[in-house]
Amino acid sequence: MVDCLLAHAFVDDDGAFGNPVLVVIEPDGGGLPQERRQALADRLGIPAVAFVRSAPARRTEIAIHGSYGLPIRFGGHPVLGTLEALHHRGHTVEELVPEAGPVACRRDEQGICWLTAPATWSKPWRHLRMGSAAEIEALTGLPDGEDFTQVWAWTDEAAGEVRARLWAPRIGKGEDEACGSASMLLTLRHGRPLRVLHGRGSVIRTAPAGDGLVELGGRCVVRPADEGVTTEVERVYAVAARG
């Protein structure tokens, strides 16, 4: 049987905010082809759907699809959310393998999920520094002329504290509540650990790991998926099983 869980990555210390990913653990031998996975992700409208393609183990293969018509080679919040969902099901995972390649993963003693990957696997996000966090708070969209951009400002430069928001209108993506991959690129640019307050209140942690690698971390929680989401996922896999 197909199993699906809704995980939120980069929640704050109270478990609020965060970016959702639906984690679909496919039945053995019952996976969907890529075009059906994408069609399902489009219908569900969740920012990301991570399909667990192999039986959960220390090294687990996944396929990530966005809700805007495109597969995702690598994404911070889908990978971390998948790690937490599999932990919730009792699985210890050390490596998740999306399309981009193997990603080292761990869950520390505080319950924070971490991954280590090349920052260049991220989409080519732009970064626009603004004068203050207040300017960022006041935005209702990107400044004129910007697209695919993470706006950011220091709130405490000495401590590596950042305020950030992100939009990508050209791919039909509105504001991203918590973009780990853009924050990885920002970390590579500054060469230092960052704590990013993102979107409405999500918290992203990063640290350089050498040779272009960045460690990305965040608290994650698993919540029940809507009944309608679960029903649609089960329907799609039932149709596929019938051929």
Side-chain angles (χ1 to χ4, degrees):
M1 292 180 62
V2 64
D3 185 15
C4 59
L5 306 93
L6 186 68
H8 283 71
F10 306 122
V11 299
D12 67 11
D13 290 343
D14 296 322
F17 306 108
N19 219 359
V21 53
L22 184 72
V23 180
V24 178
I25 303 174
E26 296 188 322
D28 289 344
L32 298 177
Q34 177 170 300
E35 62 274 11
R36 288 195 184 181
R37 290 189 182 115
Q38 186 59 62
L40 176 58
D42 290 342
R43 285 199 300 276
L44 294 177
I46 298 167
V49 181
F51 297 87
V52 178
R53 298 173 53 203
S54 60
R58 294 189 181 275
R59 186 181 193 271
T60 301
E61 296 180 358
I62 63 174
I64 308 169
H65 289 262
S67 61
Y68 42 91
L70 296 171
I72 300 171
R73 296 184 69 251
F74 166 75
H77 99 264
V79 170
L80 293 179
T82 300
L83 179 65
E84 182 68 14
L86 294 178
H87 171 79
H88 189 75
R89 284 291 187 256
H91 303 290
T92 299
V93 177
E94 296 176 356
E95 190 175 76
L96 286 169
V97 189
E99 182 182 342
V103 178
C105 299
R106 64 184 177 91
R107 191 176 187 275
D108 70 19
E109 58 275 11
Q110 283 81 43
I112 298 174
C113 294
W114 295 91
L115 66 82
T116 304
T120 53
W121 281 359
S122 304
K123 295 183 179 70
W125 301 110
R126 285 176 45 78
H127 292 91
L128 176 66
R129 182 175 180 179
M130 303 193 73
S132 68
E135 290 181 40
I136 294 174
E137 300 283 357
L139 290 173
T140 56
L142 287 174
D144 290 345
E146 291 294 330
D147 195 355
F148 231 69
T149 302
Q150 184 183 54
V151 295
W152 71 280
W154 293 113
T155 54
D156 185 338
E157 186 170 358
E161 300 275 350
V162 169
R163 181 71 175 101
R165 295 172 72 186
L166 178 145
W167 288 264
R170 79 167 178 257
I171 60 171
K173 186 180 178 70
E175 182 171 5
D176 193 325
E177 171 58 28
C179 188
S181 60
S183 301
M184 290 173 73
L185 287 172
L186 191 65
T187 300
L188 191 66
R189 172 177 170 178
H190 289 289
R192 58 179 295 188
L194 300 176
R195 183 182 184 276
V196 183
L197 179 63
H198 208 293
R200 296 172 301 146
S202 299
V203 179
I204 298 172
R205 298 165 173 85
T206 66
D211 297 324
L213 299 174
V214 171
E215 192 170 34
L216 174 71
R219 292 192 181 278
C220 303
V221 296
V222 175
R223 297 169 178 148
D226 290 344
E227 184 177 350
V229 168
T230 301
T231 299
E232 177 63 8
V233 171
E234 291 175 345
R235 184 193 69 80
V236 168
Y237 279 86
V239 169
R242 292 197 295 269

